[in-house]
Amino acid sequence: MATFDEPLEAFKVIEPRHRQLVWDTLNELIRRSNVDAKKNRATVAQFNKASENLDTASARLRRWKAFGTFLTVLFWVLTIFAIVGIVTIMQDEEFEAPLDLLLGIGCGVALAITLKFLLVKPKILSYTKTISALEQLRHELLKQAWEEMRSLNLLFTWDTVTDLLRKALPELHFDKNFRHTQFEDLVASLQLKKQVTSHISVLNLQTGHLRGNPFALVKGRTLEWGQKTYTGSITVSVRKTRINADGKRESYTAFETLYAEVTRPIPEFPTKSFLLFGSDAAPNLYFTRSPSKHSGKADTFFNRWAKRRTTKKLEAFSRNLDDEYGFTMMANREFETLFHATDRTDEREFRLLFTPYAQQQMVKLLNDTKVGFGDNFHMIKDARATLLFPEHLEDVDQSLNPVDFWNYDLEALKRHFVTFNTNYFKALYFALAPLMTIPLYCQQSARAEKANAVQKFETSAWENELIANAYGEEHFAHPHSATPNLIKTVTTRHGDATIFKATAHGFSENLRVEHVPVYDSNGRCHHVPVEWIEYRPVKQTHQVVVIPDHTINPNGPRSHAEALALLHENGYSVDQCHSIRATYVALI
């Protein structure tokens, strides 16, 4: 039986179990919803047939309209030819018009008119009516299909995916929401660097703990400065000389195009996904590692030769006692070559984490090319915090919004639900896999009791950023902002309702012109204008109120009307609110 600290072997056992849980849960939801699968299948089939007939009718209508346009053009061309011929005959009595040609033109005009009004126009009217009827039928069938699936769609919750993960991986616990106290504890106890929390605006967030050790799966928008090159040009005249046909030198005027460019900074807002893991193990250790070019390579001569070269360099680096690094190479040369954490600051604590058994499991994980994603992660160990940046997380939808499972087609819903859950499980599992190889990380933590304790609803800074971003940055952006925005929040009050200030940081675009000196072929200096964009920071702040939906109605269905009523009762004058992550949100 594979153990949890053997991630590759354990996945082969846990993945089928999770897949079966997905199917069992889906079937149970279908049973509870009382959806008539046979009826829905028939409705969807009728809808698809109506859609197919609509596409066919639309295509035929387009062809008949094109034919009608052709006949109209033909009519006017022939009419113009006929008019020109008649005018010519009337003005020039000696002109002998070819009667066959005029007769043919007249027949063509008559045929165009006849086809246009007796064939094309009725066809267009007929297909227009058919399309209108099919659109109405399609709309009614789609409405009926959605109504048939309504009871099932409403059974999906924000916890549907995480409940399946928890059942498949009992070692994992997922939070309902990331509370303020948890966030503050995480920042303080893990001694998070300021850039981890201040230079990212959270778009998706999933938190919990692994045997009491807290983790946060984060997808956020960051601000980075890139460079953009702008170009400009002018055309100038220059005097040149040449030898003419008589062998004499003469001067003439030529034109040259002069080009110039300037490079200026431009703000970029890439999204990054990372896994933050907290553990009291090795609290004084720092190291970084990046994916190795040697991981997962076939056992060929050239690959072995390249790996040996890297190993030799590490051995030489380890023997050098004159530098400031304390790197001492361990016996497992393949681990050192693939993991390549040469900047580690504490050899004793590094060895506490990476025992010989942990090294073996890590090597297997890095060389894997069939089960998981292989060596695709960056890793930073900084005191009590460990940051992992798995590349495969960038392509995963981490919102877990239950609306994403909604569908009018039961069979399509089944396919999407199973595919999404299995893919998400694999993505999360192998994001955690590097941590699983380290036995010290998988031991029960003293934080477990605190992590499991029930606390009152208090959203954290990251949770507030997620809510603000989900609400829509267009509600917060400064009117002059021409770029995406980085939303940061500051909580002002906790309680049954959380109030926070959301500030959107963006940049305005300001056109500038720089005149760059450029010399022509005669050595004269010209100033070429180059237009470029200057980005100036702008920001705007709004207050936001957040109320958990269980505050409104803990037992029954919730509605926006109930949320608005509660907001008004508490003195908040708002016109509308939105449901986000089991909370109701409104600007105040």
Side-chain angles (χ1 to χ4, degrees):
M1 180 67 179
T3 59
F4 190 65
D5 51 7
E6 296 176 347
L8 289 178
E9 296 304 317
F11 181 79
K12 297 175 184 178
V13 176
I14 300 172
E15 194 276 336
R17 186 170 68 202
H18 175 264
R19 184 181 293 271
Q20 187 60 48
L21 283 168
V22 171
W23 276 110
D24 292 344
T25 299
L26 180 58
N27 290 331
E28 175 61 19
L29 291 175
I30 294 173
R31 186 194 63 79
R32 287 171 52 195
S33 68
N34 292 319
V35 167
D36 190 331
K38 186 177 180 180
K39 184 179 178 181
N40 180 256
R41 191 180 303 112
T43 304
V44 171
Q46 293 174 13
F47 170 77
N48 292 337
K49 185 64 177 178
S51 299
E52 183 182 337
N53 293 338
L54 179 62
D55 292 340
T56 302
S58 298
R60 289 177 178 174
L61 178 62
R62 287 193 297 270
R63 287 197 291 269
W64 280 110
K65 284 184 175 180
F67 185 46
T69 302
F70 167 75
L71 291 176
T72 301
V73 172
L74 179 64
F75 167 79
W76 285 110
V77 170
L78 294 176
T79 300
I80 291 172
F81 272 113
I83 293 173
V84 170
I86 293 171
V87 170
T88 303
I89 292 173
M90 293 177 64
Q91 291 180 350
D92 189 353
E93 296 179 354
E94 298 181 357
F95 178 75
E96 296 182 0
L99 296 179
D100 293 343
L101 178 60
L102 291 176
L103 182 62
I105 291 175
C107 292
V109 171
L111 180 62
I113 294 174
T114 302
L115 291 175
K116 174 77 174 180
F117 289 97
L118 296 183
L119 179 63
V120 176
K121 194 170 183 179
K123 286 289 186 182
I124 290 176
L125 290 174
S126 174
Y127 278 114
T128 300
K129 292 179 181 178
T130 300
I131 288 172
S132 178
L134 287 171
E135 286 178 339
Q136 180 63 28
L137 176 61
R138 186 175 179 272
H139 174 74
E140 291 175 357
L141 289 170
L142 181 61
K143 183 179 179 181
Q144 179 182 335
W146 275 112
E147 186 60 31
E148 291 170 355
M149 292 290 291
R150 184 175 184 273
S151 58
L152 175 59
N153 289 332
L154 293 178
L155 290 178
F156 295 110
T157 69
W158 289 96
D159 302 320
T160 299
V161 176
T162 53
D163 284 345
L164 289 168
L165 293 170
R166 177 179 52 79
K167 292 175 182 177
L169 291 170
E171 294 85 357
L172 289 180
H173 170 84
F174 294 92
D175 301 321
K176 296 289 184 182
N177 59 73
F178 193 34
R179 294 180 295 274
H180 171 71
T181 51
Q182 288 176 285
F183 180 76
E184 294 300 324
D185 178 64
L186 195 68
V187 171
S189 63
L190 300 188
Q191 302 171 3
L192 287 181
K193 294 294 187 290
K194 195 172 183 180
Q195 59 266 28
V196 175
T197 58
S198 63
H199 291 171
I200 185 169
S201 182
V202 175
L203 302 175
N204 293 129
L205 176 67
Q206 185 61 60
T207 62
H209 58 83
L210 172 63
R211 291 179 176 169
N213 298 293
F215 72 85
L217 185 63
V218 185
K219 183 173 185 178
R221 177 179 292 154
T222 60
L223 170 63
E224 296 179 357
W225 284 96
Q227 297 288 327
K228 182 176 181 179
T229 299
Y230 303 83
T231 59
S233 64
I234 59 172
T235 301
V236 298
S237 60
V238 293
R239 297 295 296 173
K240 292 182 175 294
T241 61
R242 63 186 175 190
I243 305 299
N244 61 20
D246 299 329
K248 296 181 180 179
R249 184 180 297 276
E250 64 178 11
S251 63
Y252 68 97
T253 300
F255 295 92
E256 292 181 355
T257 301
L258 304 181
Y259 297 92
E261 62 181 35
V262 295
T263 300
R264 292 292 181 267
I266 179 173
E268 298 173 346
F269 295 85
T271 58
K272 291 184 178 180
S273 296
F274 64 89
L275 178 70
L276 170 64
F277 180 77
S279 173
D280 294 325
N284 303 309
L285 177 62
Y286 172 90
F287 69 80
T288 64
R289 66 90 50 187
S290 299
S292 172
K293 61 182 179 181
H294 303 299
S295 298
K297 296 293 185 180
D299 190 22
T300 64
F301 170 78
F302 290 105
N303 289 335
R304 290 196 301 271
W305 176 74
K307 188 183 291 187
R308 279 198 299 270
R309 285 196 62 190
T310 302
T311 304
K312 293 295 184 184
K313 291 179 181 178
L314 285 174
E315 289 173 345
F317 182 62
S318 177
R319 289 192 296 268
N320 184 8
L321 303 179
D322 296 330
D323 57 32
E324 58 181 342
Y325 298 97
F327 173 72
T328 303
M329 199 167 186
M330 294 192 289
N332 190 331
R333 294 306 198 243
E334 186 173 15
F335 168 79
E336 291 284 22
T337 302
L338 300 183
F339 199 72
H340 209 272
T342 58
D343 59 350
R344 56 202 189 220
T345 56
D346 192 311
E347 285 291 334
R348 184 185 65 83
E349 290 195 348
F350 188 81
R351 283 164 168 74
L352 283 176
L353 291 185
F354 294 98
T355 62
Y357 179 77
Q359 295 173 38
Q360 294 173 10
Q361 296 304 316
M362 181 64 77
V363 168
K364 288 181 181 179
L365 183 66
L366 298 179
N367 281 325
D368 169 55
T369 58
K370 297 179 180 179
V371 181
F373 299 94
D375 186 3
N376 73 336
F377 64 92
H378 297 260
M379 185 174 183
I380 301 174
K381 172 74 166 73
D382 189 359
R384 291 179 171 84
T386 301
L387 285 163
L388 289 165
F389 298 86
E391 294 174 5
H392 66 266
L393 284 182
E394 299 297 335
D395 301 323
V396 176
D397 178 9
Q398 301 174 34
S399 66
L400 307 189
N401 192 333
V403 176
D404 294 338
F405 295 126
W406 289 13
N407 207 309
Y408 65 89
D409 182 350
L410 179 59
E411 295 304 317
L413 183 147
K414 288 180 179 179
R415 290 192 297 270
H416 175 64
F417 185 79
V418 173
T419 301
F420 177 86
N421 276 279
T422 52
N423 290 343
Y424 189 82
F425 170 77
K426 182 177 180 179
L428 177 63
Y429 183 92
F430 283 102
L432 291 165
L435 305 174
M436 298 178 190
T437 64
I438 304 172
L440 208 56
Y441 276 178
C442 297
Q443 293 179 3
Q444 186 73 17
S445 170
R447 302 168 181 263
E449 183 177 348
K450 183 177 181 180
N452 283 314
V454 177
Q455 300 184 31
K456 65 180 181 179
F457 176 83
E458 291 183 349
T459 57
S460 65
W462 276 0
E463 187 86 9
N464 290 337
E465 289 173 19
L466 182 152
I467 289 172
N469 281 304
Y471 192 87
E473 68 171 270
E474 65 274 8
H475 294 98
F476 303 95
H478 190 279
H480 295 157
S481 177
T483 65
N485 288 263
L486 213 65
I487 299 179
K488 301 300 295 180
T489 64
V490 176
T491 302
T492 58
R493 198 192 83 179
H494 283 306
D496 291 338
T498 296
I499 300 177
F500 64 85
K501 291 181 179 179
T503 302
H505 300 266
F507 294 86
S508 64
E509 292 183 347
N510 303 277
L511 184 64
R512 297 287 181 263
V513 179
E514 183 164 336
H515 293 83
V516 181
V518 180
Y519 292 89
D520 62 23
S521 57
N522 285 345
R524 290 189 304 164
C525 182
H526 303 268
H527 288 84
V528 179
V530 179
E531 293 184 345
W532 58 280
I533 302 296
E534 179 187 28
Y535 292 91
R536 291 182 177 177
V538 292
K539 63 181 181 180
Q540 183 166 264
T541 301
H542 287 280
Q543 276 199 319
V544 183
V545 59
V546 180
I547 299 179
D549 59 358
H550 62 75
T551 302
I552 300 168
N553 192 342
N555 299 316
R558 276 77 65 188
S559 69
H560 286 166
E562 291 174 315
L564 282 172
L566 182 63
L567 288 167
H568 291 156
E569 288 174 9
N570 284 272
Y572 302 118
S573 178
V574 296
D575 297 325
Q576 60 178 339
C577 62
H578 293 267
S579 178
I580 299 171
R581 277 174 69 96
T583 61
Y584 284 97
V585 185
L587 297 182
I588 58 175

